Amino acid sequence: MKNRLPPCAHVPAPYTGPAKAEVLALRQRHCNPAIFTYYREPLMIVEGYMQYLFDEKDRRYLDLFAGIVTVSCGHSHPRVLARAREQLERLQHTTTIYLHPLLGEFARQLAGKLPPGLDVVYFVNSGSEANDLALTMARLYTGHHDIIALRNGYHGGTSAMMGVTALHTWKYPLPQGQGVHHAVCPDPYRSPYAGTPEEIARQSVTDLEEIICCSTPGRIAAFIAESIQGVGGVTTAHPDYFRLAYELVRQHGGLCIADEVQTGFGRTGDHYWGFENFGVVPDLVTMAKGIGNGAPLAAVVTRREIAQTLAQRLHFNTFGGNPVSMAQGLAVLEVIETERLQENARLVGGHFKQGLEGLQATHPLIGDVRGQGLMLGVELVLDRQTKEPAPSQTAWLWEYAREQGVLTGKGGLHGNVLRLKPPMCLTREDVDFALEVFDEGLRELERQAPG
Ligand SMILES: Cc1ncc(COP(=O)(O)O)c(C=O)c1O
């Protein structure tokens, strides 16, 4: 098939490894079956360059999912790679029992990106660990145990974080969620409440209040939420929601945790952090994915008095803060700044959203277009009035896009949301190409089942 993607000068190295069927067979034989692959015919990716990925036959794809919102600067970004390689050759690992200059320096620079007061950092290796640690600190600081999260949210795969995560697909019938309560998701599109987004925000806060007063009276340690839910299908809230929710939680002695694992590092365009779009300042901020552009790197940032609680006993993380991840993280901060990636997320993301809204105007299957910057979601429905989800049409469009060379995420509670969260170096040409592919796919879907 002719490659219609915008031009790219990068030439992938010839692939000389085992055939795809062999790779798949080994995986099926020896890897835990929970490790799933995307697409009817699994894709094998052997090289990446900026916003593009290459399969074993040198076919190039436009990556609109960035290794699940992880590759912030671009695949194999030359400057990030150079810093990581240089560090790897010098020193890979000692643990934090010895001093190394990069740990404090990265913590200092990260703190400089956050509101004043949020300046004490603990580095770990994954978003799940970061959230787990944030809950631990909140519980130690408040002396309380209960946690409130939002329905439809995703916070990770450790036992504790599966308990906090509320997507039914990710929950196992195990008692992980003791002391965890789930409040109504303030998403205006699928709220159980009727009204304007502002009214829905207020009613959702009332639900939170009922939980705090009836289910956790005097026991709340923390409220944790993503400012834009990622796995949940790019759902968000009216700007009033987080302001009112934070006020309420604090009145009752709880701390507020912003899970910035997907929304941080400029992805939402207008701001460096997702929570800034709501005019709130959390007590703890957790971050992962985009912080490392692919390195297993994550962090919890909080105020000193909260961080201090963890120093009462031994607490240690073997790989957290390792020099290679620190070098890579520092390079990521620098590249986001010098290549103006936040600004690019705002401009190219705005262009993308506008184009998707244009498609919504002509394709009745698109029920909702939402998100900010380069964190966008397109929800497909069979009927705009009833909002009946269209998961099979979504799956068809997702497969069609892949055939045409465009890789996207898919998610949401009903599996009917295309998740568009590319490396932040995406260009307008890439966007125009993706829009063309979606338009063709939607037209084909409509032709198959005329409405
Ligand atoms: C919002 C959010 N929080 C936490 C996590 C867990 O991160 P990790 O998979 O690095 O443990 C994820 C992962 O997708 C996420 O999307």
Side-chain angles (χ1 to χ4, degrees):
M1 186 184 295
K2 190 170 165 292
N3 204 333
R4 302 151 60 204
L5 272 75
C8 165
H10 181 78
V11 179
Y15 176 73
T16 54
K20 184 157 95 176
E22 204 181 320
V23 171
L24 181 63
L26 271 182
R27 179 149 149 163
Q28 285 168 337
R29 171 73 184 84
H30 293 292
C31 297
N32 189 300
I35 303 169
F36 60 91
T37 51
Y38 253 20
Y39 300 117
R40 216 178 300 124
E41 166 70 27
L43 195 56
M44 184 151 99
I45 296 296
V46 295
E47 195 164 324
Y49 182 75
M50 303 307 278
Q51 67 272 42
Y52 302 117
L53 291 170
F54 298 86
D55 70 12
E56 77 284 8
K57 294 189 171 140
D58 292 352
R59 177 158 186 210
R60 183 161 57 99
Y61 296 85
L62 174 61
D63 181 12
L64 297 184
F65 205 29
I68 319 195
V69 211
T70 301
V71 177
S72 43
C73 306
H75 293 280
S76 305
H77 189 291
R79 283 166 67 194
V80 178
L81 271 193
R83 292 280 284 277
R85 193 179 292 127
E86 190 185 40
Q87 184 55 49
L88 199 54
E89 282 168 5
R90 190 177 293 264
L91 174 72
Q92 182 171 13
H93 183 70
T94 56
T95 79
T96 46
I97 57 173
Y98 305 118
L99 287 176
H100 187 278
L102 295 188
L103 180 80
E105 179 54 21
F106 186 31
R108 181 185 75 81
Q109 291 196 24
L110 209 48
K113 298 286 179 198
L114 283 148
L118 287 170
D119 54 8
V120 181
V121 184
Y122 197 132
F123 290 110
V124 289
N125 314 289
S126 70
S128 307
E129 272 183 279
N131 282 333
D132 210 309
L133 195 56
L135 296 195
T136 302
M137 283 194 247
R139 283 172 167 150
L140 288 170
Y141 183 74
T142 59
H144 298 145
H145 181 75
D146 284 18
I147 303 295
I148 305 180
L150 293 181
R151 286 188 203 159
N152 204 46
Y154 182 86
H155 297 290
T158 59
S159 287
M161 297 327 298
M162 278 195 282
V164 173
T165 289
L167 275 166
H168 61 89
T169 356
W170 302 93
K171 291 203 81 162
Y172 292 89
L174 300 170
Q176 292 136 338
Q178 280 167 3
V180 178
H181 310 265
H182 289 103
V184 158
C185 169
D187 165 27
Y189 190 67
R190 286 204 180 271
S191 175
Y193 307 120
T196 63
E198 194 175 355
E199 286 163 348
I200 288 171
R202 285 173 188 271
Q203 291 182 85
S204 306
V205 172
T206 306
D207 176 68
L208 186 63
E209 189 166 20
E210 267 175 38
I211 293 177
I212 294 177
C213 297
C214 305
S215 309
T216 69
R219 291 200 306 267
I220 179 172
F223 167 68
I224 180 167
E226 303 155 84
S227 53
I228 298 180
Q229 291 183 334
V231 181
V234 201
T235 73
T236 185
H238 181 272
D240 282 354
Y241 179 76
F242 283 103
R243 187 174 50 76
L244 295 171
Y246 273 32
E247 273 171 27
L248 186 69
V249 168
R250 284 172 174 152
Q251 272 165 23
H252 291 267
L255 297 180
C256 298
I257 305 172
D259 179 335
E260 289 286 332
V261 168
Q262 295 208 9
T263 45
F265 298 90
R267 178 160 292 281
T268 65
D270 287 332
H271 296 284
Y272 208 80
W273 305 106
F275 64 78
E276 291 175 295
N277 294 295
F278 296 88
V280 293
V281 177
D283 301 296
L284 299 109
V285 180
T286 59
M287 54 196 77
K289 294 187 182 277
I291 186 177
N293 199 49
L297 169 59
V300 186
V301 187
T302 187
R303 300 194 301 274
R304 176 154 301 277
E305 71 268 21
I306 299 172
Q308 191 67 41
T309 55
L310 208 58
Q312 302 167 68
R313 300 275 194 284
L314 175 73
H315 195 279
F316 180 69
N317 189 301
T318 297
F319 292 111
N322 73 79
V324 180
S325 294
M326 297 297 95
Q328 191 148 336
L330 277 161
V332 167
L333 290 188
E334 190 185 300
V335 167
I336 292 175
E337 201 73 31
T338 54
E339 297 184 7
R340 301 174 61 84
L341 295 184
Q342 181 185 334
E343 178 71 349
N344 196 57
R346 188 176 73 76
L347 295 175
V348 176
H351 176 63
F352 207 170
K353 192 169 182 190
Q354 210 174 31
L356 293 168
E357 284 164 349
L359 293 183
Q360 186 182 20
T362 51
H363 297 290
L365 261 173
I366 300 185
D368 197 25
V369 172
R370 53 183 180 249
Q372 260 175 283
L374 285 173
M375 174 117 184
L376 299 171
V378 180
E379 176 153 357
L380 300 196
V381 292
L382 293 175
D383 180 318
R384 283 192 183 167
Q385 292 306 314
T386 63
K387 298 182 183 172
E388 185 183 341
S392 49
Q393 287 77 1
T394 311
W396 188 93
L397 185 59
W398 176 64
E399 293 277 1
Y400 176 83
R402 172 245 162 108
E403 281 162 23
Q404 303 305 314
V406 179
L407 307 181
T408 78
K410 184 164 75 65
L413 197 56
H414 308 283
N416 66 328
V417 181
L418 288 184
R419 297 166 59 200
L420 311 172
K421 308 159 181 188
M424 297 194 295
C425 55
L426 194 79
T427 67
R428 288 173 81 94
E429 291 69 39
D430 296 320
V431 168
D432 292 341
F433 169 65
L435 289 169
E436 197 180 296
V437 167
F438 297 151
D439 189 27
E440 287 164 7
L442 286 160
R443 269 191 277 129
E444 179 57 27
L445 268 172
E446 284 154 7
R447 203 183 57 73
Q448 289 171 11

